[in-house]
Amino acid sequence: MLVNRLNLALLFALTSTTTLAATDNAYQHDAGIVYASSSEEFSDGTWNANYRYYLTPVSQDTVPYALSGFLAQTSNLGANYAGFEGDLDAYGVNGQYVFASKWFVGANYQNLGANLFDSDTYGVSMGYYFNSTSSVYLGYTKSDQDYDIGFGAKASADLDTFTLGIRSFLPLETTAGVDLTAQLFFGQSDYSVKNTPYGGDMSNSDDTTALMLSADWYLTRAWSGGANYSVQEETDSYAINTAYHLRLTDSFSAIARASKSFEPDEDGVFLSLGINGRF
């Protein structure tokens, strides 16, 4: 019941506020709360709270609002928390330091936990801003997962992933521009089960390679439409999305996003609604 009331309050805030002539001030603090769910079962969604601090002020008066942090190319530190159905929650911290030469390094930690499951993920990255709107980067993450599968059996998984990526925003004359991303993933997974119900232990290893491509066209600084495509071995997936950043006051905005997956074919539309504060 509490979740339903919070959903209604957020929807009312998004739909009842008259657009104001907000000033696009520079900011160093970026905080938000987002509710995300499927249109098929909107009450069974996820709450996510996030905060990011930038060491130098970030300008947002000429670029798409959603991309101002990326385009600032400045050092930052962030934290997030998400609550899921079934007593599952996640929290994490991450940061990036940008040198004067425009090389950067980053690190992150994420925990996902429930009564019978716990996962810790650690990551590091390094990259280079090769022009004022583009970067190339290499990342590594290690995830340790533990499961209690009942009857005294314990399962664990060790996942190692390398990522090679490039991202570039291309400004256009008639619209704000296009944000392009390409990422190549190389992963190795080791699984094991101890004290199986059938007796003894089991183990398995697997290697995967995946490619993900995405493009978001910003028709205005506030409104975008995009698509993404990924392929892993012989399995591919693709979806489309649209998002709108509604300025409410000098410090607060409402953000709405909708996406539709066609492969795998899923019923309904995935929706997210949020309030963002920048100051």
Coordinates of all heavy atoms in Angstrom, one line a residue, residues 85-164:
E85 N 11.6 -5.9 -5.1 CA 10.7 -6.8 -4.4 C 11.4 -8.0 -3.9 O 12.4 -8.4 -4.4 CB 9.6 -7.2 -5.5 CG 8.7 -6.1 -5.9 CD 7.7 -5.6 -4.8 OE1 7.3 -6.4 -4.0 OE2 7.4 -4.4 -4.8
G86 N 10.8 -8.6 -2.8 CA 11.4 -9.8 -2.3 C 12.6 -9.6 -1.4 O 13.5 -10.4 -1.3
D87 N 12.6 -8.5 -0.7 CA 13.7 -8.2 0.3 C 15.1 -8.2 -0.4 O 16.1 -8.6 0.2 CB 13.7 -9.2 1.5 CG 12.4 -9.1 2.3 OD1 11.9 -8.0 2.5 OD2 11.9 -10.1 2.7
L88 N 15.2 -7.7 -1.6 CA 16.4 -7.7 -2.3 C 16.8 -6.2 -2.4 O 16.0 -5.4 -2.9 CB 16.3 -8.3 -3.7 CG 17.5 -8.3 -4.6 CD1 18.6 -9.1 -4.0 CD2 17.1 -8.8 -6.0
D89 N 18.0 -5.8 -2.1 CA 18.4 -4.5 -2.2 C 19.9 -4.4 -2.7 O 20.6 -5.4 -2.7 CB 18.3 -3.7 -0.9 CG 19.0 -4.3 0.2 OD1 19.8 -5.2 0.0 OD2 18.9 -3.8 1.4
A90 N 20.2 -3.2 -3.2 CA 21.6 -3.0 -3.8 C 22.1 -1.6 -3.4 O 21.3 -0.7 -3.3 CB 21.5 -3.2 -5.3
Y91 N 23.4 -1.6 -3.2 CA 24.0 -0.3 -2.9 C 25.4 -0.3 -3.5 O 26.0 -1.3 -3.7 CB 24.0 0.0 -1.4 CG 24.8 -0.9 -0.6 CD1 26.2 -0.7 -0.4 CD2 24.2 -2.0 0.0 CE1 27.0 -1.6 0.4 CE2 25.0 -2.9 0.8 CZ 26.3 -2.7 1.0 OH 27.1 -3.6 1.7
G92 N 25.9 0.9 -3.8 CA 27.2 1.0 -4.4 C 27.8 2.4 -4.3 O 27.1 3.4 -4.0
V93 N 29.1 2.5 -4.5 CA 29.8 3.7 -4.6 C 30.7 3.6 -5.9 O 31.2 2.6 -6.3 CB 30.7 4.0 -3.4 CG1 29.8 4.2 -2.2 CG2 31.6 2.8 -3.1
N94 N 31.0 4.8 -6.4 CA 31.9 4.8 -7.6 C 32.5 6.2 -7.7 O 32.0 7.2 -7.2 CB 31.1 4.4 -8.9 CG 30.0 5.4 -9.2 OD1 30.2 6.4 -9.7 ND2 28.8 5.0 -8.8
G95 N 33.6 6.3 -8.4 CA 34.2 7.6 -8.6 C 35.2 7.6 -9.8 O 35.6 6.5 -10.3
Q96 N 35.5 8.8 -10.3 CA 36.4 8.9 -11.4 C 37.3 10.2 -11.2 O 36.8 11.2 -10.8 CB 35.6 9.1 -12.7 CG 36.4 9.4 -13.9 CD 35.6 9.5 -15.2 OE1 35.2 8.6 -15.8 NE2 35.3 10.8 -15.6
Y97 N 38.5 10.0 -11.5 CA 39.5 11.1 -11.4 C 40.0 11.4 -12.8 O 40.5 10.6 -13.5 CB 40.6 10.8 -10.4 CG 41.6 12.0 -10.2 CD1 41.2 13.0 -9.3 CD2 42.7 12.1 -11.0 CE1 42.0 14.1 -9.2 CE2 43.5 13.2 -10.8 CZ 43.2 14.2 -9.9 OH 44.0 15.3 -9.8
V98 N 39.9 12.7 -13.2 CA 40.3 13.1 -14.5 C 41.5 14.0 -14.3 O 41.5 15.0 -13.6 CB 39.2 13.9 -15.2 CG1 39.6 14.3 -16.6 CG2 37.9 13.1 -15.2
F99 N 42.6 13.6 -15.0 CA 43.9 14.4 -15.0 C 43.8 15.5 -16.0 O 42.9 15.6 -16.9 CB 45.0 13.5 -15.4 CG 45.3 12.3 -14.4 CD1 44.6 11.1 -14.6 CD2 46.1 12.5 -13.3 CE1 44.8 10.0 -13.7 CE2 46.3 11.5 -12.4 CZ 45.7 10.2 -12.6
A100 N 44.7 16.5 -15.8 CA 44.7 17.6 -16.7 C 45.0 17.2 -18.1 O 44.6 17.9 -19.1 CB 45.8 18.6 -16.2
S101 N 45.6 16.1 -18.3 CA 45.9 15.6 -19.7 C 44.7 15.0 -20.4 O 44.7 14.6 -21.5 CB 47.0 14.6 -19.6 OG 46.6 13.5 -18.8
K102 N 43.6 14.9 -19.6 CA 42.3 14.2 -20.0 C 42.3 12.7 -20.0 O 41.4 12.1 -20.4 CB 41.9 14.7 -21.4 CG 41.4 16.2 -21.4 CD 40.3 16.4 -20.4 CE 39.8 17.9 -20.3 NZ 38.7 18.1 -19.4
W103 N 43.4 12.1 -19.5 CA 43.3 10.7 -19.1 C 42.5 10.6 -17.8 O 42.5 11.5 -17.0 CB 44.7 10.2 -18.8 CG 45.5 9.9 -20.1 CD1 46.3 10.8 -20.8 CD2 45.5 8.7 -20.9 NE1 46.8 10.2 -21.9 CE2 46.3 8.9 -22.0 CE3 44.8 7.5 -20.7 CZ2 46.6 7.9 -23.0 CZ3 45.0 6.5 -21.7 CH2 45.9 6.7 -22.8
F104 N 41.8 9.5 -17.6 CA 41.0 9.3 -16.4 C 41.1 7.9 -15.8 O 41.4 7.0 -16.6 CB 39.6 9.8 -16.6 CG 38.8 8.9 -17.6 CD1 38.2 7.7 -17.3 CD2 38.7 9.4 -18.9 CE1 37.5 7.0 -18.2 CE2 38.0 8.7 -19.9 CZ 37.4 7.5 -19.5
V105 N 40.9 7.8 -14.5 CA 40.9 6.4 -13.9 C 39.6 6.4 -13.0 O 39.1 7.5 -12.6 CB 42.1 6.2 -13.0 CG1 43.3 6.0 -13.9 CG2 42.3 7.2 -12.0
G106 N 39.0 5.2 -12.9 CA 37.8 5.1 -12.1 C 37.8 3.8 -11.3 O 38.6 2.9 -11.6
A107 N 36.9 3.8 -10.3 CA 36.8 2.6 -9.5 C 35.3 2.5 -9.0 O 34.7 3.6 -8.8 CB 37.7 2.6 -8.3
N108 N 34.8 1.3 -8.7 CA 33.5 1.2 -8.2 C 33.3 -0.1 -7.4 O 34.1 -1.0 -7.5 CB 32.5 1.2 -9.4 CG 32.7 0.0 -10.3 OD1 32.2 -1.1 -10.1 ND2 33.4 0.2 -11.4
Y109 N 32.3 -0.1 -6.5 CA 31.9 -1.2 -5.7 C 30.4 -1.3 -5.7 O 29.7 -0.3 -5.5 CB 32.5 -1.1 -4.3 CG 31.8 -2.2 -3.4 CD1 32.2 -3.5 -3.4 CD2 30.9 -1.8 -2.5 CE1 31.6 -4.4 -2.6 CE2 30.3 -2.7 -1.6 CZ 30.7 -4.0 -1.7 OH 30.1 -5.0 -0.9
Q110 N 29.8 -2.5 -5.8 CA 28.4 -2.7 -5.8 C 28.1 -4.0 -5.0 O 28.7 -5.0 -5.2 CB 27.9 -2.8 -7.2 CG 26.3 -2.8 -7.3 CD 25.8 -1.4 -7.2 OE1 26.5 -0.4 -7.5 NE2 24.5 -1.3 -6.8
N111 N 27.1 -3.9 -4.1 CA 26.6 -5.1 -3.4 C 25.2 -5.3 -3.7 O 24.3 -4.4 -3.7 CB 26.8 -4.9 -1.9 CG 26.2 -6.0 -1.1 OD1 25.0 -6.0 -0.7 ND2 27.0 -7.1 -0.9
L112 N 24.8 -6.6 -4.0 CA 23.4 -7.0 -4.2 C 23.1 -8.1 -3.2 O 23.8 -9.1 -3.2 CB 23.2 -7.4 -5.6 CG 21.8 -7.9 -6.0 CD1 20.8 -6.7 -5.9 CD2 21.8 -8.4 -7.5
G113 N 22.1 -7.9 -2.3 CA 21.9 -8.9 -1.3 C 20.5 -9.2 -1.0 O 19.6 -8.4 -1.1
A114 N 20.2 -10.5 -0.6 CA 18.9 -10.9 -0.1 C 19.2 -12.0 1.0 O 20.3 -12.3 1.3 CB 18.1 -11.5 -1.3
N115 N 18.1 -12.6 1.5 CA 18.3 -13.6 2.5 C 19.1 -14.8 2.1 O 19.9 -15.3 2.9 CB 16.9 -14.1 2.9 CG 16.1 -13.0 3.7 OD1 16.6 -12.1 4.2 ND2 14.8 -13.2 3.6
L116 N 19.0 -15.3 0.8 CA 19.7 -16.4 0.4 C 20.7 -16.1 -0.7 O 21.2 -17.1 -1.4 CB 18.7 -17.5 -0.1 CG 17.6 -17.9 0.9 CD1 16.6 -18.9 0.2 CD2 18.2 -18.5 2.1
F117 N 21.0 -14.9 -0.9 CA 21.9 -14.5 -2.0 C 22.7 -13.3 -1.6 O 22.2 -12.4 -1.0 CB 21.1 -14.2 -3.3 CG 21.9 -13.6 -4.4 CD1 22.7 -14.4 -5.2 CD2 21.8 -12.2 -4.6 CE1 23.4 -13.8 -6.2 CE2 22.5 -11.7 -5.6 CZ 23.3 -12.4 -6.4
D118 N 24.0 -13.3 -2.0 CA 24.8 -12.1 -1.8 C 25.9 -12.0 -2.9 O 26.4 -13.0 -3.3 CB 25.5 -12.2 -0.4 CG 26.2 -10.9 -0.1 OD1 25.6 -9.9 0.3 OD2 27.5 -10.8 -0.2
S119 N 26.1 -10.8 -3.4 CA 27.0 -10.6 -4.5 C 27.8 -9.3 -4.3 O 27.2 -8.3 -3.9 CB 26.2 -10.5 -5.8 OG 27.1 -10.1 -6.9
D120 N 29.1 -9.4 -4.4 CA 30.0 -8.2 -4.3 C 30.7 -8.1 -5.7 O 31.3 -9.0 -6.2 CB 31.0 -8.4 -3.2 CG 30.4 -8.4 -1.8 OD1 29.8 -7.4 -1.5 OD2 30.5 -9.4 -1.1
T121 N 30.6 -6.8 -6.2 CA 31.3 -6.6 -7.5 C 32.2 -5.4 -7.3 O 31.9 -4.3 -6.8 CB 30.2 -6.2 -8.6 OG1 29.4 -7.4 -8.7 CG2 30.9 -6.0 -9.9
Y122 N 33.5 -5.6 -7.8 CA 34.5 -4.6 -7.7 C 35.0 -4.3 -9.2 O 35.1 -5.2 -10.0 CB 35.7 -5.1 -6.9 CG 35.4 -5.5 -5.5 CD1 35.0 -6.9 -5.3 CD2 35.5 -4.7 -4.4 CE1 34.7 -7.3 -4.0 CE2 35.2 -5.1 -3.2 CZ 34.8 -6.5 -3.0 OH 34.5 -6.9 -1.7
G123 N 35.2 -3.0 -9.4 CA 35.6 -2.6 -10.8 C 36.6 -1.5 -10.8 O 36.6 -0.7 -9.9
V124 N 37.4 -1.5 -11.8 CA 38.4 -0.4 -12.1 C 38.4 -0.1 -13.6 O 38.0 -1.0 -14.4 CB 39.8 -0.8 -11.7 CG1 39.9 -0.9 -10.2 CG2 40.3 -2.1 -12.4
S125 N 38.7 1.1 -13.9 CA 38.7 1.5 -15.4 C 39.7 2.6 -15.6 O 40.2 3.3 -14.7 CB 37.3 2.0 -15.8 OG 37.0 3.1 -15.1
M126 N 40.1 2.7 -16.8 CA 41.0 3.8 -17.3 C 40.6 4.2 -18.7 O 40.1 3.4 -19.5 CB 42.4 3.5 -17.2 CG 42.9 2.4 -18.1 SD 44.7 2.2 -18.1 CE 45.3 3.8 -18.6
G127 N 40.8 5.5 -19.0 CA 40.4 5.9 -20.4 C 41.0 7.3 -20.7 O 41.7 7.8 -19.9
Y128 N 40.5 7.8 -21.8 CA 41.0 9.0 -22.3 C 39.9 9.8 -23.1 O 39.2 9.2 -23.9 CB 42.2 8.8 -23.3 CG 42.8 10.0 -23.9 CD1 43.4 11.0 -23.1 CD2 42.7 10.2 -25.3 CE1 44.0 12.1 -23.7 CE2 43.3 11.4 -25.9 CZ 43.9 12.3 -25.0 OH 44.5 13.4 -25.6
Y129 N 39.8 11.1 -22.7 CA 38.9 12.0 -23.5 C 39.6 12.5 -24.7 O 40.5 13.4 -24.5 CB 38.4 13.1 -22.6 CG 37.4 12.7 -21.5 CD1 37.9 12.7 -20.1 CD2 36.1 12.3 -21.7 CE1 37.0 12.3 -19.1 CE2 35.3 11.9 -20.7 CZ 35.7 11.9 -19.4 OH 34.8 11.6 -18.4
F130 N 39.4 12.0 -25.8 CA 40.2 12.4 -27.0 C 39.7 13.6 -27.7 O 40.4 14.1 -28.6 CB 40.4 11.2 -28.0 CG 39.1 10.6 -28.5 CD1 38.5 11.1 -29.7 CD2 38.5 9.5 -27.9 CE1 37.4 10.5 -30.2 CE2 37.4 9.0 -28.4 CZ 36.8 9.5 -29.5
N131 N 38.5 14.1 -27.4 CA 38.1 15.4 -27.8 C 37.1 15.9 -26.7 O 36.8 15.2 -25.7 CB 37.6 15.5 -29.2 CG 36.3 14.6 -29.4 OD1 35.5 14.5 -28.6 ND2 36.2 14.0 -30.6
S132 N 36.4 17.1 -27.0 CA 35.6 17.7 -26.0 C 34.3 16.9 -25.7 O 33.6 17.2 -24.8 CB 35.3 19.1 -26.4 OG 34.6 19.2 -27.6
T133 N 33.9 15.9 -26.6 CA 32.7 15.2 -26.4 C 32.8 13.7 -26.5 O 31.8 13.0 -26.7 CB 31.7 15.7 -27.5 OG1 32.2 15.4 -28.8 CG2 31.4 17.2 -27.4
S134 N 34.0 13.2 -26.5 CA 34.2 11.7 -26.7 C 35.3 11.1 -25.8 O 36.2 11.8 -25.3 CB 34.7 11.5 -28.1 OG 33.9 12.1 -29.1
S135 N 35.1 9.8 -25.5 CA 36.1 9.1 -24.7 C 36.2 7.7 -25.2 O 35.3 7.1 -25.8 CB 35.6 9.1 -23.2 OG 34.5 8.3 -23.0
V136 N 37.3 7.1 -24.8 CA 37.6 5.7 -25.1 C 38.1 5.1 -23.7 O 38.8 5.8 -23.0 CB 38.6 5.4 -26.2 CG1 40.0 6.1 -25.9 CG2 38.8 3.9 -26.5
Y137 N 37.7 3.9 -23.4 CA 38.0 3.4 -22.1 C 38.2 1.9 -22.0 O 37.6 1.1 -22.9 CB 37.0 3.8 -21.0 CG 35.6 3.5 -21.5 CD1 34.9 2.3 -21.1 CD2 34.8 4.4 -22.2 CE1 33.6 2.0 -21.6 CE2 33.6 4.2 -22.7 CZ 33.0 3.0 -22.3 OH 31.7 2.7 -22.7
L138 N 38.9 1.4 -21.0 CA 39.0 -0.1 -20.8 C 38.7 -0.3 -19.3 O 39.2 0.4 -18.4 CB 40.5 -0.5 -21.0 CG 40.8 -2.0 -20.7 CD1 40.1 -2.9 -21.7 CD2 42.3 -2.2 -20.9
G139 N 37.8 -1.3 -19.0 CA 37.4 -1.6 -17.7 C 37.5 -3.1 -17.3 O 37.5 -3.9 -18.2
Y140 N 37.6 -3.3 -16.0 CA 37.6 -4.7 -15.5 C 36.7 -4.8 -14.3 O 36.8 -3.9 -13.4 CB 39.1 -5.1 -15.1 CG 39.1 -6.4 -14.3 CD1 38.9 -7.6 -14.9 CD2 39.4 -6.3 -13.0 CE1 38.9 -8.8 -14.2 CE2 39.4 -7.5 -12.2 CZ 39.2 -8.7 -12.8 OH 39.2 -9.9 -12.1
T141 N 35.9 -5.8 -14.2 CA 35.1 -6.0 -13.0 C 35.2 -7.5 -12.6 O 35.4 -8.4 -13.4 CB 33.6 -5.7 -13.3 OG1 33.1 -6.6 -14.3 CG2 33.4 -4.3 -13.7
K142 N 35.1 -7.6 -11.3 CA 35.2 -9.0 -10.7 C 34.0 -9.1 -9.7 O 33.8 -8.2 -8.9 CB 36.4 -9.2 -9.9 CG 36.5 -10.6 -9.3 CD 37.9 -10.9 -8.6 CE 37.9 -12.3 -8.0 NZ 37.7 -13.3 -9.1
S143 N 33.2 -10.1 -9.9 CA 32.0 -10.3 -9.1 C 32.0 -11.7 -8.4 O 32.3 -12.7 -9.1 CB 30.7 -10.3 -10.0 OG 29.5 -10.5 -9.3
D144 N 31.8 -11.7 -7.1 CA 31.8 -12.9 -6.3 C 30.3 -13.1 -5.8 O 29.8 -12.2 -5.1 CB 32.7 -12.8 -5.1 CG 34.2 -12.6 -5.6 OD1 34.6 -13.3 -6.5 OD2 34.9 -11.8 -4.9
Q145 N 29.7 -14.2 -6.2 CA 28.3 -14.4 -5.8 C 28.2 -15.7 -5.0 O 28.8 -16.7 -5.3 CB 27.5 -14.6 -7.1 CG 27.6 -13.3 -8.0 CD 26.8 -13.5 -9.3 OE1 26.2 -14.6 -9.5 NE2 26.8 -12.5 -10.1
D146 N 27.4 -15.7 -4.0 CA 27.1 -16.8 -3.1 C 25.6 -17.1 -3.0 O 24.9 -16.1 -2.7 CB 27.7 -16.6 -1.7 CG 29.2 -16.5 -1.8 OD1 29.9 -17.5 -2.2 OD2 29.8 -15.5 -1.4
Y147 N 25.2 -18.3 -3.1 CA 23.8 -18.7 -3.0 C 23.6 -19.8 -2.0 O 24.4 -20.7 -1.9 CB 23.3 -19.2 -4.4 CG 23.5 -18.4 -5.6 CD1 24.8 -18.4 -6.2 CD2 22.5 -17.6 -6.1 CE1 25.0 -17.6 -7.3 CE2 22.8 -16.8 -7.2 CZ 24.0 -16.8 -7.8 OH 24.3 -16.1 -8.9
D148 N 22.5 -19.7 -1.3 CA 22.1 -20.9 -0.4 C 20.9 -21.5 -1.2 O 19.8 -20.9 -1.2 CB 21.6 -20.3 0.9 CG 21.3 -21.4 1.9 OD1 21.1 -22.6 1.4 OD2 21.2 -21.2 3.1
I149 N 21.1 -22.7 -1.7 CA 20.1 -23.3 -2.6 C 19.3 -24.4 -1.8 O 18.5 -25.1 -2.4 CB 20.7 -23.9 -3.9 CG1 21.8 -24.9 -3.6 CG2 21.2 -22.7 -4.7 CD1 22.4 -25.5 -4.8
G150 N 19.5 -24.4 -0.5 CA 18.7 -25.3 0.3 C 19.3 -26.7 0.4 O 20.2 -27.1 -0.3
F151 N 18.8 -27.5 1.4 CA 19.2 -28.8 1.7 C 20.7 -28.9 2.0 O 21.4 -29.9 1.7 CB 18.9 -29.8 0.5 CG 17.4 -29.8 0.2 CD1 16.9 -29.1 -0.9 CD2 16.5 -30.5 1.0 CE1 15.6 -29.1 -1.2 CE2 15.1 -30.5 0.6 CZ 14.7 -29.8 -0.5
G152 N 21.2 -27.8 2.6 CA 22.7 -27.8 2.9 C 23.6 -27.5 1.7 O 24.8 -27.5 1.9
A153 N 23.0 -27.3 0.6 CA 23.9 -27.0 -0.6 C 24.2 -25.6 -0.7 O 23.3 -24.7 -0.5 CB 23.2 -27.6 -1.9
K154 N 25.4 -25.3 -1.1 CA 25.9 -23.9 -1.4 C 26.4 -23.8 -2.8 O 27.2 -24.6 -3.2 CB 27.0 -23.5 -0.4 CG 26.6 -23.7 1.1 CD 25.6 -22.6 1.6 CE 25.4 -22.7 3.1 NZ 24.5 -21.6 3.6
A155 N 26.1 -22.7 -3.4 CA 26.6 -22.4 -4.8 C 27.3 -21.1 -4.8 O 27.0 -20.2 -4.0 CB 25.4 -22.3 -5.8
S156 N 28.3 -21.0 -5.7 CA 29.1 -19.8 -5.8 C 29.5 -19.6 -7.2 O 29.5 -20.5 -8.0 CB 30.4 -19.8 -4.9 OG 31.2 -20.9 -5.4
A157 N 29.7 -18.3 -7.6 CA 30.1 -18.0 -9.0 C 31.1 -16.8 -8.9 O 30.9 -15.9 -8.2 CB 28.8 -17.5 -9.8
D158 N 32.1 -17.0 -9.7 CA 33.1 -15.9 -9.9 C 33.1 -15.5 -11.3 O 33.3 -16.3 -12.2 CB 34.5 -16.5 -9.5 CG 34.6 -16.9 -8.1 OD1 34.0 -16.2 -7.2 OD2 35.3 -17.9 -7.8
L159 N 32.8 -14.2 -11.5 CA 32.7 -13.6 -12.8 C 33.7 -12.5 -13.1 O 33.8 -11.6 -12.3 CB 31.3 -13.0 -13.0 CG 30.1 -13.9 -12.6 CD1 28.8 -13.1 -12.7 CD2 30.0 -15.2 -13.4
D160 N 34.5 -12.7 -14.1 CA 35.5 -11.7 -14.5 C 35.1 -11.1 -15.9 O 35.0 -11.9 -16.8 CB 36.9 -12.3 -14.5 CG 37.3 -12.8 -13.1 OD1 37.8 -11.9 -12.4 OD2 37.2 -14.0 -12.8
T161 N 35.1 -9.8 -16.0 CA 34.7 -9.2 -17.2 C 35.6 -8.0 -17.6 O 35.9 -7.2 -16.8 CB 33.2 -8.6 -17.1 OG1 32.3 -9.7 -16.7 CG2 32.8 -8.1 -18.5
F162 N 36.0 -8.0 -18.9 CA 36.8 -6.9 -19.4 C 35.9 -6.2 -20.4 O 35.2 -6.8 -21.2 CB 38.1 -7.4 -20.1 CG 39.1 -8.0 -19.2 CD1 39.1 -9.3 -18.9 CD2 40.1 -7.2 -18.6 CE1 40.1 -9.9 -18.0 CE2 41.0 -7.7 -17.8 CZ 41.0 -9.0 -17.5
T163 N 36.0 -4.9 -20.4 CA 35.1 -4.1 -21.3 C 36.0 -3.1 -22.0 O 36.8 -2.4 -21.4 CB 34.1 -3.3 -20.5 OG1 33.3 -4.2 -19.7 CG2 33.2 -2.5 -21.4
L164 N 35.8 -3.0 -23.3 CA 36.5 -2.0 -24.2 C 35.4 -1.2 -24.8 O 34.5 -1.7 -25.4 CB 37.3 -2.7 -25.3 CG 38.0 -1.7 -26.3 CD1 39.0 -0.8 -25.6 CD2 38.6 -2.5 -27.4

